[in-house]
């Protein structure tokens, strides 16, 4: 863990979520990453489950979104949910997309990255060990989020988001800030050769891909992979914040797919321009 902790937990009533210190003023942008606390779901989903695909009652999930919206200070009808399939598709969200995936059917079969420059739209992506990437260009009033599972990480969805902003929105990479949220850490992301091989090809000679001969397993630091990828795209190192929170280590606070072998709820990352 870094000497200076780059995040803080905000508690409102029973609900707790994480924010990054770099953006704590909240003058122009609202953001947050949910924890397990403050919802109405039960059992393995307790209590703030934000996934409609976890076997939860729909009314529970909707109530959880209402509570999270209220805590963040955004409107429920501003939410825009993606449909994450561990690929690298990215879309610019518009006013007509409000309510996608929650108030109306999800229009995207595959969308692991969302971004917008329109105030009053709340972007939402989902996690339970995968890496949340938050993007913000304060001088250009642009926000974005990307869901970087191991496939998205090795295919460099973070780099793709930066390249999209540079190409389509004419935003210099040096003006973009990125926060890497809670996810499975290198301590628990232990994989076989078939998963490790794409990383070894994409990030050759990386010190953060460790082979353990006694177990014939690899431990991979997804945070470091994403950071390297972002820096290759031109993001300044001082503009990259890494939470260094392992969801598997701290499964009492966060849902972890690996720790629970899939018996878990879903976390949410939220961003909105004022």
């Amino acid at each position: 863990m870094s000497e200076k902790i780059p995040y803080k937990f905000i508690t409102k009533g029973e609900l707790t979520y994480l924010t990054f210190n770099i953006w704590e003023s909240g003058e122009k942008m609202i953001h947050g990453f949910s924890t397990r606390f403050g919802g109405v779901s039960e059992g393995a989903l307790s209590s703030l489950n934000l996934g409609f695909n976890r076997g939860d009652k729909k009314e529970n999930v909707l109530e959880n979104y209402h509570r999270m919206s209220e805590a963040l200070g955004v409107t429920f009808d501003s939410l825009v949910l993606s449909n994450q399939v561990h690929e690298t598709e990215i879309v610019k969200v518009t006013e007509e997309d409000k309510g996608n995936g929650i108030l109306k059917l999800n229009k995207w079969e595959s969308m692991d990255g969302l971004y917008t420059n329109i105030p009053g739209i709340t972007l939402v992506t989902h996690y339970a060990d995968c890496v949340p990437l938050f993007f913000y260009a304060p001088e250009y009033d642009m926000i974005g989020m990307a869901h970087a599972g191991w496939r998205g990480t090795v295919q460099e969805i973070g780099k793709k988001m930066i390249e999209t902003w540079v190409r389509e929105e004419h935003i210099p990479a040096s003006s973009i800030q990125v926060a890497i949220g809670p996810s499975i850490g290198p301590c628990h992301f232990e994989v076989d050769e078939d998963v490790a091989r794409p990383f070894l090809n994409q990030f050759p000679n990386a010190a953060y891909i460790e082979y353990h001969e006694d177990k014939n397993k690899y431990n991979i630091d997804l945070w470091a992979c994403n950071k390297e990828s972002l820096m290759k795209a031109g993001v300044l190192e001082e503009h990259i914040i890494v939470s260094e929170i392992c969801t598997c280590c701290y499964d009492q606070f966060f849902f972890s797919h690996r720790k629970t072998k899939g018996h878990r709820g879903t976390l949410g990352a939220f961003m909105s321009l004022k």
Side-chain angles (χ1 to χ4, degrees):
M1 192 72 71
S2 302
E3 262 185 53
K4 187 176 180 184
I5 296 175
Y7 58 85
K8 65 177 57 173
F9 288 98
I10 307 293
T11 298
K12 296 184 178 178
E14 296 180 354
L15 192 146
T16 298
Y17 61 94
L18 177 147
T19 63
F20 292 95
N21 298 342
I22 188 175
W23 301 325
E24 69 178 330
S25 71
E27 290 179 6
K28 297 169 66 179
M29 186 269 285
I30 298 167
H31 74 288
F33 187 77
S34 69
T35 66
R36 299 184 61 153
F37 305 129
V40 297
S41 301
E42 299 177 342
L45 308 177
S46 66
S47 64
L48 194 66
N49 167 50
L50 297 172
F52 288 104
N53 61 345
R54 306 311 305 170
D56 204 351
K57 295 177 182 177
K58 184 177 180 180
E59 57 264 33
N60 286 350
V61 184
L62 290 172
E63 174 61 22
N64 291 341
Y65 275 107
H66 276 290
R67 293 186 178 200
M68 191 69 192
S69 299
E70 183 178 358
L72 290 170
V74 301
T75 61
F76 178 75
D77 61 4
S78 73
L79 302 178
V80 178
L81 279 57
S82 66
N83 190 32
Q84 297 161 194
V85 294
H86 300 275
E87 293 180 354
T88 60
E89 294 299 313
I90 295 169
V91 67
K92 186 175 184 180
V93 175
T94 66
E95 195 79 29
E96 68 178 25
D97 299 320
K98 282 184 175 182
N100 184 76
I102 186 164
L103 292 174
K104 51 192 178 186
L105 291 176
N106 200 317
K107 66 192 287 186
W108 302 306
E109 290 184 10
S110 168
M111 206 56 66
D112 284 78
L114 305 175
Y115 75 96
T116 192
N117 60 350
I118 301 174
I121 291 175
T122 305
L123 308 178
V124 184
T125 48
H126 299 112
Y127 306 88
D129 282 341
C130 293
V131 182
L133 301 177
F134 296 73
F135 302 81
Y136 185 34
E139 297 170 38
Y140 296 84
D141 294 325
M142 188 73 72
I143 58 171
M145 291 193 300
H147 165 261
W150 75 260
R151 291 178 180 85
T153 296
V154 82
Q155 293 176 51
E156 299 189 282
I157 190 172
K159 181 170 177 276
K160 185 174 178 181
M161 181 72 81
I162 301 299
E163 290 172 344
T164 299
W165 286 17
V166 171
R167 183 181 65 250
E168 303 293 336
E169 307 298 335
H170 310 294
I171 299 174
S174 59
S175 295
I176 303 171
Q177 302 168 353
V178 186
I180 300 175
S183 71
I184 194 166
C187 46
H188 280 95
F189 191 55
E190 183 181 81
V191 298
D192 294 322
E193 166 81 17
D194 61 331
V195 174
R197 181 51 50 193
F199 282 92
L200 293 166
N201 293 337
Q202 194 68 28
F203 304 97
N205 306 313
Y208 43 81
I209 302 173
E210 296 185 18
Y211 176 62
H212 302 282
E213 188 174 0
D214 56 329
K215 298 186 287 185
N216 192 28
K217 298 276 189 180
Y218 294 79
N219 280 74
I220 300 175
D221 186 338
L222 297 175
W223 307 327
C225 290
N226 278 286
K227 183 175 179 178
E228 178 180 319
S229 181
L230 292 163
M231 290 174 64
K232 281 195 300 185
V235 180
L236 303 178
E237 184 172 14
E238 59 265 32
H239 287 175
I240 302 173
I241 308 301
V242 186
S243 68
E244 297 184 359
I245 301 175
C246 174
T247 46
C248 200
C249 287
Y250 294 97
D251 64 307
Q252 69 270 44
F253 300 107
F254 301 99
F255 294 117
S256 169
H257 187 85
R258 178 165 289 211
K259 186 69 172 282
T260 61
K261 297 180 171 58
H263 301 290
R264 48 80 182 173
T266 298
L267 303 163
F270 297 75
M271 289 188 91
S272 182
L273 290 169
K274 291 184 176 180

